[in-house]
Amino acid sequence: MKASLLAFLQFFPGAAGTDEYLKMEATLSAFENCLQTADAKRLKGSSPMLMEFLTPIFHIFSDLIVKMTPSSSISPTGPSEDRSVYEQIRDLERQVALFEGKLQESQRCFDSIISSLASNIESTVSCVNDLKSSMEHNTDTLASLPATIAKPSYAQVASLPANVSNFTIAPPPSEKILLVRPLESKADSSTTRNKITSFLLNKNLPFRITRIKNINNDGIAICLTTDEDVNKLSQELSKNADFASFSVSKPTLRKPQFILFGVNSSYNKDSITKALLLKNDIFKDGGLEVNFSMKSKSSNNWVISVNPYLYPVIKDHGHLYLNFERVRMETFISVMQCSTCGSLGHTRNHCPNTQACIRCSSTDDHDRTSCNPRCINCTTQNARFRSGFPENHGCRDKNCPALIQFRKRTIDRTDYGR
């Protein structure tokens, strides 16, 4: 039997030496040994004992035939039920193949995403390392700085370029003025002021008066906000018999002025007037007035007034002739400032105050080269109008807010002929 089965296996190409062949040979040898034992007669009549050996042999032959035979040759040819089972098996195989393809595609997508994330992570790690290096460098730089910054010395501060104040000055309110002067010399400015104040209080007139100030010739200047108020107040005063002995008028604008630089000291007021009228045809009809001179190191600077209609012509021309020389000139803004107390609006000839320091405005005897500067004009403006001007400068500082405001008012009250 063993020899017959082994001979049958030779018909399958490549069967010899396979696992199935070796299992078959081992099983047949064991079956043959059992038949040759003393209990062979008992085994021959026992079907279960035979099935223990024949069943494995059947399975080995079945597996070998399926493995060695193409799938197309083992298609079922039996009943329709077997064919249905076979078709289900084939459908399952196709579904398994389809899922394997999808699994491979998903694997490729997953690998691509992992690769992209890996590159982004590498870039992020590089940025973090750069940031860490920069922070370490900044930390080292800060650590190398001194713990405290030394206060600069006076010489170091003095060597720095001067800082010009950058504050802005609010434009002063536009004032309209009415002048009231007594025709007789019996009354003074105080008397005129008291009389005007009583009249306004009794009449309860709806005029907005900003201030009343004393002026020359024992008069007063009433400052209002609009031209309409000026006209109405002028009419009320003119109709009242109590003010028949007073002149009521509007102020006239100032004439424009020029300053002539470097005039020979030999000139006086009369000689310089004649020289200007002789050599400048623009003054052939008059319109010139020589005001005063200011001394310089080797010459004098003269201030002149001209008629408003002549100002644009002289300004555009740029110079005047004085005998046989051409004189340089500029527009002059006359600012009255007292040389005794430093206040604006009057000169030392009409100053009621004592001598004061031009730096700190103090009247005490002290070293005036090292005192702390304090401007008397800005202090007065802040106290009266709450202007908010800085006060830590001298009263003659060209950047003084009060001085700039005073110059602006002077320009507004000057007729420049344009």
Side-chain angles (χ1 to χ4, degrees), residues 68 182 186 197 262 362 414:
M68 304 303 294
K186 296 180 181 179
T197 303
S362 174
T414 303

Side-chain angles (χ1 to χ4, degrees), residues 93-105:
E93 289 179 351
R94 285 192 293 269
Q95 292 178 12
V96 169
L98 179 62
F99 288 137
E100 287 180 352
K102 292 183 178 180
L103 181 60
Q104 292 176 359
E105 181 66 24

Side-chain angles (χ1 to χ4, degrees), residues 94-222:
R94 285 192 293 269
Q95 292 178 12
V96 169
L98 179 62
F99 288 137
E100 287 180 352
K102 292 183 178 180
L103 181 60
Q104 292 176 359
E105 181 66 24
S106 301
Q107 183 66 34
R108 286 193 295 270
C109 292
F110 181 75
D111 293 342
S112 175
I113 293 173
I114 291 299
S115 177
S116 176
L117 290 176
S119 62
N120 291 336
I121 290 173
E122 290 178 357
S123 176
T124 304
V125 170
S126 177
C127 292
V128 170
N129 291 334
D130 293 342
L131 181 60
K132 182 179 179 181
S133 177
S134 176
M135 292 178 63
E136 291 176 352
H137 175 72
N138 293 336
T139 302
D140 295 339
T141 304
L142 291 174
S144 62
L145 294 176
T148 57
I149 300 176
K151 185 178 180 180
S153 63
Y154 177 80
Q156 292 174 336
V157 174
S159 63
L160 296 175
N163 293 327
V164 180
S165 301
N166 58 356
F167 56 83
T168 57
I169 300 174
S174 178
E175 291 183 333
K176 310 300 178 181
I177 299 176
L178 185 66
L179 304 179
V180 180
R181 289 189 175 95
L183 297 177
E184 301 177 359
S185 58
K186 296 180 181 179
D188 56 8
S189 295
S190 298
T191 304
T192 305
R193 177 193 289 267
N194 293 334
K195 192 169 185 177
I196 289 290
T197 303
S198 299
F199 171 76
L200 295 174
L201 292 175
N202 292 332
K203 288 286 186 178
N204 194 22
L205 298 174
F207 303 138
R208 184 176 179 183
I209 299 175
T210 57
R211 56 177 175 156
I212 300 177
K213 60 181 181 179
N214 298 339
I215 59 174
N216 58 353
N217 296 328
D218 300 324
I220 61 171
I222 305 174

